[in-house]
Amino acid sequence: MLAATPKLQGKSFLCEKDFSREEFLYFIELAMKLKDEKKRGITHRHLEGKNIALLFEKPSTRTRCAFTVACIDLGAHPEYLGKDDIQLGKKESIEDTAKVLGRMFDGIEFRGFEHKKVEMLAQHSGVPVWNGLTDQWHPTQTLADFLTVKENFGHLEGIQFVYVGDGRNNVANSLLVGGALVGMDVRICSPESLFPAEEIVELAKELAAKSGGNVTITSNVDEGVAGADVIYTDVWVSMGEEDQFAERIALLSPYQVNMDMIRKTGNEQVIFLHCLPAFHDLETSYGKDIYDKHGLPEMEVTNEVFRSEHSKVFDQAENRMHTIKAVMAATLGNLK
Ligand code: CP
């Protein structure tokens, strides 16, 4: 049974702070319902006849596939538009492109660099716009992560959720703010030079004060991971920062998720999450290149942890689709 449906019709999904705690939790509840229906073969064509534009300025496996499959399951038609397919901001302004797309499509997903672009699409298109990742936020990832936490622990409130690694990337920002919004004990454990921006920490603290959550930013690994229910990490170098590998490896090696860190949590039930892709072995050309240049066979997470019973990363990846479906259905569908 779903809680009373919040009024989300027509709303864009750009970042966690745009939603109340109840609205954010509703997306997760709806995703659980849609996931259960899909497993039981019950169709849910809440977007029958709709057309959805999927704008990708960057490559993607999970987000693109999740939006595509979610659209089709909901009865909508997805149209993929890659960086060389349209003129977004190059030969046509974002405002003009948004107005054109809004005349033809019922909803727009955007993955790119500047957060301003997704805000402008939402401002000018007249249809719901969904953020598939910008330099600042990755909110559809947060929903999938929290659904995975809820599946494992039954609740989100009070969960000791620890993100280790680069504490100022889009995933860290989203988890910090999202965790505070839903009442988690959320911690960022990273080198001081990679602490989240002050305004993000302040925002998270304000939200935690309302939700009963807690926010900790620390560079001390022992302190940061003690008692953790969830250990989460992301790549040490984000797309576009590849020239910083040597510096990042030196800075972040003490924050690698390995079995020693898992033991330090003192919690046998601790789960490991990663938004993926992860560098945990030498099965990629990228990983081999790093190994040749820097001698590292694994980076932010060891293969042992990645393949251990603590790891829920493939459930988490699957949950991208169920949660993205919930966002589209709630903001564009005709849910009773
Ligand atoms: N986690 C994530 O956003 O994956 P993709 O880059 O494959 O979409």
Side-chain angles (χ1 to χ4, degrees):
M1 187 72 164
L2 288 180
T5 311
K7 289 191 171 40
L8 293 163
Q9 267 258 328
K11 195 163 172 173
S12 288
F13 186 82
L14 305 187
C15 54
E16 293 81 354
K17 67 179 164 59
D18 296 342
F19 295 90
S20 68
R21 178 171 177 270
E22 289 66 33
E23 288 171 334
F24 209 69
L25 293 174
Y26 172 77
F27 287 125
I28 296 167
E29 269 190 67
L30 179 58
M32 290 179 94
K33 177 175 181 285
L34 294 169
K35 182 172 181 176
D36 176 62
E37 286 177 355
K38 176 144 174 133
K39 301 278 177 204
R40 292 194 288 133
I42 299 170
T43 56
H44 35 231
R45 297 175 73 83
H46 301 301
L47 300 188
E48 189 77 57
K50 306 277 191 202
N51 290 292
I52 307 298
L54 304 179
L55 273 53
F56 280 84
E57 291 187 325
K58 286 179 169 183
S60 163
T61 300
R62 279 145 290 272
T63 310
R64 176 178 176 178
C65 296
F67 269 100
T68 303
V69 173
C71 278
I72 294 166
D73 281 359
L74 289 168
H77 169 80
E79 186 65 30
Y80 177 82
L81 299 162
K83 71 177 171 53
D84 297 322
D85 295 327
I86 58 169
Q87 300 292 354
L88 192 66
K90 283 177 268 178
K91 284 188 181 167
E92 186 168 37
S93 70
I94 297 161
E95 178 177 340
D96 292 357
T97 309
K99 285 175 176 167
V100 173
L101 294 177
R103 297 288 182 110
M104 300 186 191
F105 290 96
D106 301 290
I108 300 169
E109 179 277 350
F110 173 79
R111 164 173 286 206
F113 296 89
E114 299 154 71
H115 191 71
K116 186 81 198 148
K117 270 193 187 177
V118 78
E119 289 178 337
M120 289 183 72
L121 285 170
Q123 185 184 345
H124 297 293
S125 65
V127 298
V129 171
W130 308 297
N131 180 1
L133 176 143
T134 61
D135 285 348
Q136 208 171 352
W137 306 105
H138 198 1
T140 61
Q141 181 69 54
T142 308
L143 284 179
D145 302 341
F146 289 3
L147 172 56
T148 312
V149 172
K150 189 153 182 175
E151 287 173 338
N152 279 274
F153 297 100
H155 63 100
L156 298 177
E157 299 78 6
I159 287 290
Q160 300 190 50
F161 191 105
V162 184
Y163 173 97
V164 290
D166 177 1
R168 50 167 203 191
N169 72 14
N170 42 20
V171 172
N173 288 344
S174 274
L175 290 172
L176 179 57
V177 170
L181 179 69
V182 301
M184 286 179 172
D185 173 358
V186 56
R187 304 179 208 156
I188 302 288
C189 182
S190 69
E192 277 186 33
S193 60
L194 295 177
F195 274 1
E198 199 50 45
E199 67 268 21
I200 306 273
V201 177
E202 283 312 308
L203 171 62
K205 284 183 175 168
E206 280 169 31
L207 292 167
K210 287 187 207 149
S211 68
N214 197 45
V215 167
T216 305
I217 313 295
T218 180
S219 59
N220 183 315
V221 173
D222 290 358
E223 182 191 318
V225 306
D229 296 303
V230 182
I231 295 284
Y232 195 118
T233 195
D234 191 4
V235 291
W236 286 348
V237 177
S238 297
M239 285 183 247
E241 297 179 330
E242 286 80 358
D243 57 331
Q244 297 173 31
F245 254 114
E247 186 193 323
R248 287 297 177 87
I249 287 169
L251 202 55
L252 287 166
S253 290
Y255 298 86
Q256 182 191 58
V257 180
N258 49 40
M259 284 314 273
D260 188 37
M261 182 184 283
I262 294 291
R263 279 188 288 272
K264 276 182 181 168
T265 66
N267 179 2
E268 285 180 11
Q269 308 305 319
V270 62
I271 65 168
F272 168 70
L273 298 180
H274 190 306
C275 52
L276 303 184
F279 296 109
H280 60 95
D281 60 19
L282 296 178
E283 297 301 315
T284 62
S285 54
Y286 202 79
K288 283 191 191 115
D289 189 44
I290 301 298
Y291 180 69
D292 291 343
K293 287 184 183 144
H294 304 282
L296 276 185
E298 48 200 6
M299 283 192 284
E300 71 273 9
V301 56
T302 61
N303 204 33
E304 188 181 11
V305 170
F306 189 86
R307 298 194 184 283
S308 74
E309 60 184 7
H310 299 285
S311 178
K312 305 296 175 193
V313 296
F314 296 111
D315 293 338
Q316 182 188 5
E318 177 191 330
N319 284 341
R320 297 296 309 284
M321 195 275 288
H322 304 298
T323 44
I324 280 170
K325 190 187 283 182
V327 170
M328 290 198 292
T331 56
L332 188 58
N334 253 330
L335 293 177
K336 297 282 180 301

